[in-house]
Amino acid sequence: MILQYLSFLEHIRNNQIRTNEVIQIDEELFKQYSDPSVGEVPKDIEKRLGHDYAETAIQIIDSMVNNKKNYHVINTVNRGHIVGIPDETSIEITSRITNKGPIPVHIGELPLQIRGIVQHLKAYEELLCDAIYEKNLNKALLAYQVHPLSKSFITTKHAFDALYEKHKNLLTYYGAYNK
């Protein structure tokens, strides 16, 4: 375990980090994908990880272009498909993919046992989006504090403060943060 940690630190010191590797892989993949005749996922995608997403993306594009009307789970606007959350909320839902756009499967009202957690998560997402739009770090903190997995306002604030201190030079766009 210690040897792995030391190896990890050595890689960081030498700027041999996964992010740089992924950037190089992405550049090569983007070149390949820029060719509209590409109909299969390039073999290099396995180096990128997440190649299942690439397979799905190609299937969705194929369904859109060829109006196959296949079903895929996608992110789209709610527009009443799930009752009890705002219509303009982004949802991840099974949809039939057509050449005219996705047709989400209407869910209606969620079962009681999951309705609250979905509404709670959507409240967090809405607060976070508002915080970004309003450039308001205090609202961002509140969003993280009300996240369903946050168990303590105090612990979340300490973590947020530590991250702020470490990255405040990158957060000037967001204006003042009142600790």
Side-chain angles (χ1 to χ4, degrees), residues 12-166:
I12 290 174
R13 284 189 195 103
N14 294 324
N15 206 26
Q16 297 172 327
I17 55 177
R18 176 73 178 145
T19 303
N20 293 335
E21 183 183 346
V22 168
I23 289 169
Q24 289 177 322
I25 294 167
D26 282 351
E27 286 173 359
E28 182 57 37
L29 289 171
F30 288 140
K31 284 180 195 171
Q32 293 176 41
Y33 278 124
S34 67
D35 179 358
S37 67
V38 172
E40 295 182 9
V41 177
K43 291 182 181 184
D44 287 347
I45 195 72
E46 292 175 12
K47 294 179 192 172
R48 175 64 170 87
L49 303 178
H51 60 278
D52 293 337
Y53 292 114
E55 289 280 353
T56 300
I58 287 175
Q59 290 171 6
I60 290 171
I61 292 167
D62 182 41
S63 190
M64 288 168 43
V65 170
N66 297 305
N67 200 30
K68 290 189 171 180
K69 300 178 182 167
N70 295 337
Y71 287 95
H72 291 279
V73 177
I74 63 163
N75 290 306
T76 190
V77 181
N78 184 31
R79 294 191 181 114
H81 293 289
I82 299 176
V83 174
I85 61 174
D87 284 347
E88 69 278 1
T89 300
S90 172
I91 58 173
E92 188 170 5
I93 191 168
T94 301
S95 299
R96 178 168 262 181
I97 308 300
T98 73
N99 61 358
K100 300 207 183 324
I103 302 170
V105 172
H106 186 77
I107 301 294
E109 194 166 323
L110 294 171
L112 180 61
Q113 61 269 33
I114 63 168
R115 183 182 325 140
I117 191 74
V118 171
Q119 289 171 329
H120 192 164
L121 188 57
K122 291 300 171 186
Y124 151 77
E125 290 173 355
E126 195 171 332
L127 269 171
L128 187 58
C129 288
D130 287 351
I132 293 167
Y133 180 76
E134 295 169 13
K135 302 175 189 168
N136 185 331
L137 289 171
N138 294 297
K139 192 174 263 189
L141 168 61
L142 178 61
Y144 286 119
Q145 287 176 318
V146 302
H147 188 282
L149 296 178
S150 175
K151 301 298 179 204
S152 164
F153 271 39
I154 294 169
T155 303
T156 304
K157 181 167 179 7
H158 289 310
F160 191 90
D161 288 349
L163 285 167
Y164 174 78
E165 282 304 316
K166 182 152 181 79

